[in-house]
Amino acid sequence: MESTVEELMPRLLPVDDWDLAEDFDPTVPPRTPQEYLKRVQIEAARCPDVVVAKIDPRKLKKKQTVNISISGCQPAPEGYSPTLKWQQQQVANFSAVRQSLNKHRNHWRSQHLDSNVIMPKSEDEEGWKKFCLGERIYSEIDALSDNENIGIDYMKVGFPPLLSIVSRMNQATVTSVLEYLISWFGEKKFTPELGRWLYALLACLEKPLLPEAHSLIRQLARRCSEVRVLEENKNEEQISALNLIICLVSRYFDQRDLADEPS
């Protein structure tokens, strides 16, 4: 078996039987090149032929597979396709928001958060869904009871994407939260709370996009196009919000194959 391995994997640094010092000790740092190569040879011989990794399945993230589709967005419903001028204006507004955010990020990051604002850890998917969307949407409760209408309970209605919050999020967290919300949106309806957070997270994404973020925003745009087609009541405000997200993904982040054709 050893000779077969030798033939398939010839030695790049062959080690001959040099006359090593009588006091050669492989456990101490090598003193000569010959001792170094001999030590490498000894360590390699001690390695097992097969190594089995011990993996804790609880630490594996859900949905490891990333599916990338090359299909474009579905066309907007008749009469709801945005004009080119409107799309260009939204891109300009979005660019200004990003510039302002980057310019004042350190200032907002230094602002103290209210005592009730406890940001979840990056890997806490359920925690972020509740934080952004609120218990009411997360638990699919249709309305708040009368005694809950006095004051705003952000645990119930979700925290808005305040600058003091999003400025504290690094790129890994931004991408993770975006993934969590897009996953939620893949099975749930579009809401204003979701729209505000998606806009804010897109504003925080740094260019050039990482491959994971690139796949996510394309998935988001396609989902928006699906939802607006299925929108039965044709709520203009909601369709406008969906058009906006598709516009930013396609025209600001240069995914032109997903762009709406001007009406």
Side-chain angles (χ1 to χ4, degrees):
M1 178 65 182
E2 184 176 350
S3 61
T4 304
V5 175
E6 290 283 348
E7 293 174 4
L8 293 175
M9 301 178 64
R11 296 180 183 180
L12 296 180
L13 293 173
V15 181
D16 296 323
D17 293 329
W18 294 305
D19 294 330
L20 298 174
E22 294 182 0
D23 60 346
F24 171 67
D25 184 353
T27 63
V28 299
R31 293 167 294 182
T32 65
Q34 291 80 7
E35 288 187 359
Y36 169 76
L37 292 175
K38 190 62 178 179
R39 180 176 176 178
V40 171
Q41 186 184 51
I42 294 172
E43 291 178 350
R46 292 173 179 171
C47 293
D49 294 333
V50 178
V51 179
V52 179
K54 295 181 179 179
I55 301 175
D56 184 353
R58 295 173 298 178
K59 295 183 179 180
L60 292 176
K61 287 185 66 177
K62 297 179 180 178
K63 301 178 182 177
Q64 293 281 316
T65 304
V66 177
N67 296 317
I68 301 178
S69 171
I70 60 175
S71 61
C73 288
Q74 298 187 31
E78 186 176 355
Y80 291 92
S81 181
T83 65
L84 179 59
K85 181 178 180 180
W86 181 88
Q87 294 183 66
Q88 291 172 336
Q89 184 61 54
Q90 302 313 310
V91 170
N93 294 344
F94 183 69
S95 179
V97 169
R98 286 172 59 90
Q99 291 176 16
S100 178
L101 177 60
N102 290 331
K103 182 178 180 180
H104 302 290
R105 185 183 300 275
N106 290 335
H107 166 75
W108 289 108
R109 185 182 295 160
S110 65
Q111 301 302 301
H112 292 292
L113 296 175
D114 291 340
S115 59
N116 65 329
V117 182
I118 302 176
M119 296 174 62
K121 294 182 179 180
S122 179
E123 65 275 12
D124 185 1
E125 180 174 354
E126 302 307 311
W128 273 109
K129 288 176 182 177
K130 293 178 182 178
F131 184 88
C132 299
L133 306 175
E135 290 281 359
R136 179 171 60 88
I137 293 177
Y138 181 81
S139 303
E140 297 184 307
I141 300 173
D142 291 334
L144 298 174
S145 61
D146 292 338
N147 59 354
E148 290 177 325
N149 288 326
I150 302 175
I152 299 177
D153 184 348
Y154 287 111
M155 297 300 294
K156 291 286 193 302
V157 301
F159 290 92
L162 303 173
L163 288 172
S164 56
I165 293 177
V166 298
S167 295
R168 284 174 162 80
M169 300 168 66
N170 58 29
Q171 282 300 289
T173 302
V174 169
T175 304
S176 293
V177 177
L178 189 60
E179 179 183 3
Y180 302 152
L181 295 183
I182 293 175
S183 174
W184 168 272
F185 185 32
E187 301 175 355
K188 307 292 182 179
K189 62 183 181 180
F190 185 84
T191 66
E193 293 84 357
L194 176 63
R196 285 192 290 267
W197 268 100
L198 291 174
Y199 186 95
L201 293 171
L202 290 176
C204 292
L205 274 182
E206 294 179 357
K207 296 176 72 174
L209 295 176
L210 295 175
E212 183 179 2
H214 177 270
S215 174
L216 283 172
I217 65 171
R218 290 182 62 84
Q219 180 183 344
L220 172 61
R222 288 193 293 268
R223 175 57 179 163
C224 287
S225 72
E226 293 172 359
V227 171
R228 70 180 178 184
V229 169
L230 297 174
E231 176 67 26
E232 296 180 356
N233 299 325
K234 295 296 181 285
N235 183 309
E236 290 190 15
E237 184 175 343
Q238 177 162 309
I239 290 182
S240 180
L242 297 169
N243 285 348
L244 173 58
I245 294 175
I246 296 171
C247 169
L248 298 180
V249 169
S250 61
R251 298 192 180 275
Y252 184 86
F253 290 103
D254 302 317
Q255 308 301 308
R256 296 306 175 96
D257 60 307
L258 303 179
D260 282 316
E261 292 297 328
S263 59

